[in-house]
Amino acid sequence: GLELSHCVRTNALGPAGPWRSGGPCKMKRVRTVFKPEQLERLEQEFLKQQYMVGTERVDLAATLHLTETQVKVWFQNRRIKWRKQSMEQKAAKLSQFGVIQPASADSTDSKDHEEDTVDVEL
């Protein structure tokens, strides 16, 4: 289940989204705060493999006392961060040699998985 905070008043004219009830009140999701030990283990696993699926993800989630969804979304967000850092390093190297980076540097490669474009923590 999702952790939700208390009801927060919002503009009733806005569309109902995934975190809103149908009425004038919305439920705001509480952001997951990972413990340092959990983050250390997640980072270790990410260094081994950027994609965690199936029973490996279930086992890791159970070991860290997290939900499978929390582990899945952490890996999605970590891959996005990793790609961004890689692009910044590449741009820095190119600028050292006087090569100008195209304006579309922020676009993702077509080979990227659609799931990785999600930057929402569930």
Side-chain angles (χ1 to χ4, degrees):
L2 300 173
E3 295 182 36
L4 300 173
S5 68
H6 291 39
C7 188
V8 178
R9 289 268 176 225
T10 185
N11 184 353
L13 300 176
W19 309 115
R20 293 187 192 176
S21 65
C25 194
K26 78 173 184 176
M27 299 300 285
K28 184 177 178 186
R29 181 188 49 79
V30 175
R31 181 177 176 167
T32 302
V33 179
F34 295 99
K35 296 176 183 173
E37 303 82 34
Q38 292 171 323
L39 288 172
E40 184 177 336
R41 177 68 188 274
L42 288 164
E43 288 288 350
Q44 285 175 357
E45 293 299 325
F46 185 81
L47 289 174
K48 292 182 204 173
Q49 57 186 14
Q50 283 75 44
Y51 289 86
M52 176 73 59
V53 295
T55 56
E56 291 177 329
R57 184 167 62 207
V58 172
D59 292 343
L60 181 61
T63 301
L64 298 177
H65 305 291
L66 297 169
T67 66
E68 186 181 353
T69 302
Q70 287 171 318
V71 172
K72 180 183 107 173
V73 172
W74 185 90
F75 269 82
Q76 288 173 341
N77 291 337
R78 186 61 181 87
R79 285 191 296 270
I80 292 168
K81 179 180 176 181
W82 179 70
R83 285 192 190 108
K84 183 179 177 185
Q85 288 171 337
S86 297
M87 291 177 76
E88 288 171 355
Q89 288 174 353
K90 186 177 178 181
K93 285 181 182 178
L94 290 174
S95 67
Q96 282 181 327
F97 298 108
V99 179
I100 298 173
Q101 187 73 0
S104 63
D106 288 339
S107 66
T108 58
D109 295 337
S110 59
K111 67 180 180 182
D112 287 348
H113 295 274
E114 187 176 307
E115 70 167 342
D116 292 339
T117 61
V118 178
D119 197 11
V120 176
E121 192 170 303
L122 298 176

